[in-house]
Amino acid sequence: MNWNEALEELEAKRAQAKLGGGQERIDKQHQSGKLTARERLEKLLDPGSFVEIDNFIESRIDDFDLDKRRVLGDGVITGYGEINGRLVFVYSEDFTVIGGTLGEYHSKKICRLQDMALEAKAPIICINDSGGARIEEGINSLSGYAGMFLRHTLASGVIPQIALILGPCSGGACYAPAICDFIFMVRGVSKMFITGPNVVKTVIGEEVTVEELGGADIHARKSGVSHFTYESEYECLMGVRKLLSYLPQSYTATLPNNEPKHSVLNKISHLFQANKGFDHNDRCDTLVDIVPDNSKKSYDVKKVIEVIFDAGSFMEVQKDFAANVVVGFSRLAGDVVGVIANQANCMAGSLDYNASDKAARFIRFCDCFNIPLITLVDVPAFLPGTNQEHSGIIRHGAKMLFAYSEATVPKITLIMRKAYGGAYIAMNSKNMGADYAFAWPIAEIAVMGAEGAVNIAFKKRIKAAEDPAAEKAKCIEEYEKRFLNPYEAASKGFITEVIMPRESRQKLRSALMALSTKSIKIPDKKHGNIPL
């Protein structure tokens, strides 16, 4: 073969690989409202940055006439590129090639990419659009999933792992995304379930649609499997780019910062202007208007987050699941932080078993990647009730306790209003490991609210009184003066400082700066045993 022939053959094979399953199948993909595997990579990555690897690999199985459908790439595109100038590894399953099903060489390509990402200490992005295990390849296909699961687990806590469900993802295929740190889904496009509607109907006789069984909204609101939901593939891909702007390349890398780095002395000078005590720009004057001093009135804690942290910087995680707790990434003077907050306008901000899971998972992710935690507290209790007890609130709540206690990153707590009982402890109290615990003057830190406490502690006194109602009111007043304020806790060292709401941003910034070099040692062990 001469040079001309060799080069022509190479160009032909490259063109063949890029065509996937052929123009007819590409057109069908577009008709179903979906982008192709390559179009997704083009939109996700910085222009011209993608480098494909293993593009000439193909299936070697010859049974079931599969050789007639054999296409270069074997149904998955793998490689690396850049997002905002930062290295990422990515694979994109190609539904136009044998339905994107996973066979032996399909999985080998993915496993090789996983190894490369781990070795390079860079994030991996997994775009799923597949009919699942390739039946024609039998056990080789199942073995391929096993290799992927193992590598996802080994990479957990080392590099960020992000999964996108942009088509079907069923059976064993679901567990690769489930081991990843975050799952993105698109309404009307994403489908994720262990068994399809036909199997459900056959086994238990229940009529159910694909969307009802495993669509984007089900996993966003009910199961809690997914973390981000979008209306279109393009918005979803842009969401991944945004998320990565908050994350480090690996657990050993520094966090991204969108402001110029300053020395500690410059930051102190900026924070504490001469004779003012705080930066005028950091005053949160509107917080007293957002948060009512009547603890029985609700409000939207997201408005508090918007005021305290850099404007427009909050990226909420799992916003439609367990809405009584709000979690997400934000920035404070450009520095990335993880935020956990009780949502007063949903179940009064109490902690149920789903909220405990949601918070614990987020806390552990932040700790893995050295993202400081800031907790905003307004919590009346762990939600009582038979349903909660039978659903394992004790076990699920313990996950949250474990996660906070285990975390070694900077941990700062701000008690805004209610902080009662075991829920107060669970929301990163000082003795649970909070490095700094601030409280507003209206904070109520106690075993329980006045009404419930008085019914127990002053039961005999009230019963013996000539006017039980008047005596109860008097007892409530005494209890509130004695316990429902932050000063009792501050006098015993459980609160670092009682602060004005307007000082919140400045105090959190100052504490974050002071903790920037925090380093602690944990007991020597293999790993803890979180109560799963």
Side-chain angles (χ1 to χ4, degrees), residues 426-440:
M427 290 298 293
N428 197 35
S429 64
K430 188 85 177 290
N431 282 29
M432 273 275 291
D435 299 293
Y436 290 84
F438 300 108
W440 289 348

Side-chain angles (χ1 to χ4, degrees), residues 230-250:
Y230 295 90
E231 296 296 331
S232 71
E233 288 193 37
Y234 177 77
E235 291 174 303
C236 181
L237 294 165
M238 293 306 102
V240 173
R241 289 179 64 93
K242 181 179 179 181
L243 175 62
L244 283 170
S245 71
Y246 295 91
L247 309 183
Q249 290 293 91
S250 72

Side-chain angles (χ1 to χ4, degrees), residues 249-268:
Q249 290 293 91
S250 72
Y251 81 103
T252 61
T254 57
L255 292 170
N257 186 296
N258 65 355
E259 285 193 358
K261 289 291 182 182
H262 300 291
S263 69
V264 172
L265 288 177
N266 283 340
K267 279 198 171 185
I268 293 175

Side-chain angles (χ1 to χ4, degrees), residues 91-169:
Y91 74 76
S92 181
E93 290 184 314
D94 189 347
F95 196 78
T96 71
V97 179
I98 321 176
T101 54
L102 185 137
E104 180 183 3
Y105 280 90
H106 182 121
S107 64
K108 282 187 175 181
K109 287 181 66 174
I110 294 175
C111 288
R112 174 56 186 149
L113 189 81
Q114 289 178 287
D115 291 339
M116 292 173 69
L118 188 57
E119 290 164 4
K121 296 286 193 298
I124 186 167
I125 301 168
C126 314
I127 302 178
N128 296 268
D129 186 4
S130 168
R134 190 174 298 162
I135 297 171
E136 296 91 339
E137 295 195 31
I139 193 67
N140 287 334
S141 178
L142 298 179
S143 178
Y145 279 124
M148 291 165 59
F149 300 162
L150 174 63
R151 286 166 175 80
H152 277 307
T153 303
L154 293 175
S156 181
V158 181
I159 57 174
Q161 301 183 88
I162 299 170
L164 290 78
I165 313 299
L166 298 183
C169 182

Side-chain angles (χ1 to χ4, degrees), residues 56 130 152 177 285 317 329 332 374 446 469 509-510:
F56 292 158
S130 168
H152 277 307
D285 294 322
V317 177
F329 301 102
L332 194 57
I374 296 180
R509 286 181 62 186
S510 178

